Amino acid sequence: MLSKARPSRLPSPLLSLYGLLVVGLPLAGLAYALLGSVGLAGPLAAGFTGRYWQALGTDTGLLYAALFSGWVAVASVGISIALALLLVLRAQPTLRRWPLPGLLYVPLLLPALVVGFYLFQLLSRTGWLARLCFQLGLIQGPEGFPELVQDAAGLGIIGAQVLLTFPFFTLLFRAIYQESRLEEYRQLTLTLGASPGQFRRRVAGPLLLRRAAPTLLLSFMATLGAYDIPLLLGRPYPQMLSVYLATRLQRFDLRELPAAYLAGFLVALGLLGLVAVLLRLRRQTAVR
Amino acid sequence: MRSYLLIVLLLLLFVLPFGLLGLLAVGEQWRFPAALPPAYSLEAWRSLLAADNDLLLGLGRSLLPAGTVAALATAGGFGLARAITRSRHPARWEAASYLPYALPPVLLAVLIQPFIIRLHLSGSVGGVLVGLLLVALPFATLLLRSFWSGHITEYEQLARTLGCTPRQAWRRVLLPLAWPLLRTTLVQTFLLSWFDFGLTNVLSVGKVRTLTVQVFTYVGEANAQLAAVAALLLVVPPAVLLLLNKSTLLRKP
């Protein structure tokens, strides 16, 4: 019989290389961004300075980008969850009917950039919906059509994110529903005198949300850092975080770099905080 | 009645993108307020057959990195997942694997860009590959971690006890057992690279013109017809993968 391999004190060369790539490189990038934000790294580094950190109080760009991203992420993920729950809990038999089982996979084929382009062609003031409204005599010209893309509230971005996310959540909730044998629980709760609404609100809904929590948080983070869709469907102001960072770092004025490094450092730190929450959630759901 | 309405609504929601993109790809001189194109032409599609066609080259430039990243990340992730399971601190390695996977690709690209420039990889396929691997490798490792359970180690030890060499145990026992998960990982890491725009655009400084970069360029040039053709080309490989196996698209680490 072979003896059980005992873990060695030092990581294997493979793991060391892996650590260097996946931890070393991003952390080195973070350190570079931090040093850049205090004037110690970067093309125009001229010695330690705290002025970029002090300027944070007056520069509202990063704060607005964070708030706008937060709003878009909360709205998109919230609407997607609501739609998916509605479909799984109220239209379960319909979801099993042709062609829905295959149809729900279709949005997973679409890159975010393509969805952004499609919605621009559909919802802009000269888009297909506006043309249909014009032909039907509902509007007199492009300006009569409501602003649905590149709007201040980010409606176009939210619509695109929902279109991409809610089918995935529906498939996920449906898989959890079957895996957790919720149909049997439904029969049981109805036998015990609960109404279908009580089953949905008190049993199925909380269970689905709790079990899907890590994936939902992951989707929230992905929406928070979305780039392709806001780049096409967003306005120059307010911008979402990724677009804001990329725009600031790609400006020709190198003096802007330290402030951009600072923004990148702070955003990365915030997202890493969310990862910590995600890992805790994952451990909790694993225990249950 | 209500269920028919729901089916029609969802059908419209998910099929309309292909209909509109298809019309844009064949429509000519299609401007406001026309609801349908005044003329149709397959010229953009026919030009794809020309050897020096930019879109066709873009397809190749997208397939090459996506295929390479998928193969490297899956093979590497399989070995790494095993090494992590056998390490002294598997939970710490698992947590570390979330680091690049958790940051938005554009932010990650922005953070590692100074080092990519110092390595003289900026604007090259090599730089894009490093960036994509940085996301795909931990993703594959996390996805394949579930395979290396105590159960699998016992299978491996049993095979060795019954006379298998380490190589035979891998080839005849471990790889066939892992194949469904490996296939899922291959598909998902391929799609991760195939769909990427932000990371590639930042690290390649717009020089590696993959299909996603081309879609964005054509949109910027207000060339809706070529943007639609590129967009439809982007959908082909995922559609083929979906037809082959639906479940490979859904699994998350």
Side-chain angles (χ1 to χ4, degrees):
Chain A
M1 187 73 182
L2 292 168
S3 63
K4 201 175 173 184
R6 188 174 295 173
S8 92
R9 271 180 189 282
L10 288 171
S12 69
L14 183 69
L15 275 182
S16 306
L17 260 176
Y18 178 66
L20 213 59
L21 180 74
V22 302
V23 183
L25 199 52
L27 283 186
L30 263 180
Y32 189 88
L34 179 63
L35 291 175
S37 73
V38 292
L40 292 174
L44 294 183
F48 183 82
T49 172
R51 68 189 157 113
Y52 301 107
W53 282 81
Q54 285 161 357
L56 260 184
T58 51
D59 179 16
T60 51
L62 178 64
L63 181 69
Y64 278 127
L67 288 174
F68 184 61
S69 299
W71 148 248
V72 169
V74 168
S76 313
V77 176
I79 295 171
S80 301
I81 291 175
L83 282 175
L85 278 178
L86 205 71
L87 281 175
V88 171
L89 296 179
R90 300 205 69 136
Q92 190 73 235
T94 314
L95 283 184
R96 282 193 285 268
R97 288 176 66 172
W98 188 88
L100 287 191
L103 198 65
L104 284 170
Y105 284 89
V106 171
L108 304 184
L109 305 176
L110 296 170
L113 197 69
V114 172
V115 172
F117 171 58
Y118 155 68
L119 281 186
F120 185 82
Q121 292 295 333
L122 183 75
L123 301 176
S124 71
R125 282 185 157 167
T126 53
W128 200 58
L129 275 187
R131 292 168 195 214
L132 288 181
C133 289
F134 182 84
Q135 299 292 343
L136 292 170
L138 297 173
I139 57 169
Q140 304 309 313
E143 62 286 343
F145 194 73
E147 203 171 39
L148 296 175
V149 294
Q150 297 178 337
D151 58 309
L155 293 179
I157 304 173
I158 293 168
Q161 294 291 351
V162 169
L163 183 65
L164 279 174
T165 320
F166 99 83
F168 171 68
F169 285 175
T170 308
L171 291 167
L172 181 73
F173 287 151
R174 200 176 58 172
I176 297 174
Y177 192 96
Q178 283 159 0
E179 203 179 284
S180 309
R181 297 189 300 173
L182 274 173
E183 193 51 41
E184 289 169 37
Y185 281 113
R186 196 177 77 90
Q187 300 292 346
L188 184 69
T189 46
L190 294 185
T191 312
L192 292 173
S195 67
Q198 281 175 320
F199 164 75
R200 287 193 290 267
R201 277 195 313 275
R202 302 213 171 162
V203 182
L207 190 137
L208 291 175
L209 287 175
R210 201 174 56 230
R211 288 205 53 195
T215 311
L216 299 181
L217 187 63
L218 220 52
S219 294
F220 177 80
M221 285 168 58
T223 313
L224 211 56
Y227 179 69
D228 311 10
I229 288 173
L231 193 63
L232 286 180
L233 300 181
R235 274 185 172 187
Y237 188 86
Q239 286 176 320
M240 280 188 71
L241 280 169
S242 287
V243 182
Y244 173 80
L245 288 175
T247 312
R248 290 202 77 166
L249 278 156
Q250 285 167 346
R251 278 185 191 160
F252 288 107
D253 188 354
L254 291 176
R255 286 169 301 180
E256 290 260 352
L257 272 180
Y261 281 138
L262 173 60
F265 175 76
L266 292 174
V267 172
L269 221 58
L271 286 170
L272 290 177
L274 277 178
V275 177
V277 176
L278 173 77
L279 287 172
R280 183 169 290 185
L281 267 176
R282 204 157 259 256
R283 249 174 263 137
Q284 281 173 0
T285 41
V287 167
R288 281 173 193 146
Chain B
M1 182 63 192
R2 221 174 56 175
S3 76
Y4 276 116
L5 259 177
L6 183 65
I7 290 174
V8 170
L9 195 73
L10 289 176
L11 206 62
L12 201 69
L13 195 66
F14 297 148
V15 175
L16 192 61
F18 299 96
L20 188 58
L21 289 176
L23 277 178
L24 283 165
V26 294
E28 288 210 320
Q29 308 288 323
W30 190 17
R31 297 196 184 92
F32 188 89
L36 286 171
Y40 297 89
S41 159
L42 289 173
E43 193 47 44
W45 290 98
R46 265 196 228 111
S47 66
L48 279 178
L49 300 174
D52 59 343
N53 182 277
D54 206 26
L55 276 176
L56 205 62
L57 292 174
L59 186 71
R61 278 190 291 260
S62 292
L63 277 172
L64 182 74
T68 311
V69 166
L72 288 177
T74 306
F78 193 53
L80 282 163
R82 177 181 158 107
I84 286 176
T85 308
R86 295 182 168 198
S87 69
R88 279 175 72 85
H89 305 290
R92 281 187 203 170
W93 281 107
E94 194 174 305
S97 301
Y98 277 99
L99 181 66
Y101 172 52
L103 295 174
V106 170
L107 179 56
L108 194 64
V110 160
L111 289 176
I112 66 168
Q113 201 176 28
F115 306 104
I116 295 288
I117 292 170
R118 274 182 177 72
L119 290 168
H120 301 290
L121 289 172
S122 181
S124 70
V125 177
V128 173
L129 280 179
V130 171
L132 289 174
L133 265 177
L134 191 56
V135 184
L137 190 62
F139 179 83
T141 306
L142 288 169
L143 203 61
L144 289 162
R145 262 275 281 156
S146 60
F147 174 74
W148 295 105
S149 60
H151 214 56
I152 291 296
T153 313
E154 282 168 20
Y155 274 129
E156 188 187 359
Q157 286 178 344
L158 185 67
R160 296 288 311 278
T161 311
L162 292 171
C164 277
T165 62
R167 207 173 149 180
Q168 283 172 326
W170 268 82
R171 207 156 47 90
R172 301 262 171 97
V173 180
L174 296 177
L175 286 179
L177 280 171
W179 178 237
L181 196 54
L182 285 173
R183 198 177 53 191
T184 300
T185 314
L186 260 174
V187 169
Q188 293 222 5
T189 46
F190 176 85
L191 290 181
L192 209 123
S193 315
W194 183 258
F195 285 174
D196 176 71
F197 164 69
L199 192 139
T200 304
N201 201 33
V202 171
L203 288 181
S204 74
V205 214
K207 286 181 186 166
V208 181
R209 284 170 54 81
T210 56
L211 270 180
T212 47
V213 173
Q214 280 181 320
V215 170
F216 185 70
T217 310
Y218 290 136
V219 171
E221 292 168 357
N223 191 341
Q225 190 181 32
L226 282 182
V229 174
L232 287 172
L233 281 178
L234 264 173
V235 176
V236 174
V240 172
L241 293 171
L242 176 71
L243 286 175
L244 292 177
N245 195 344
K246 274 193 291 197
S247 61
T248 53
L249 288 176
L250 195 60
R251 190 165 179 142
K252 291 270 163 197

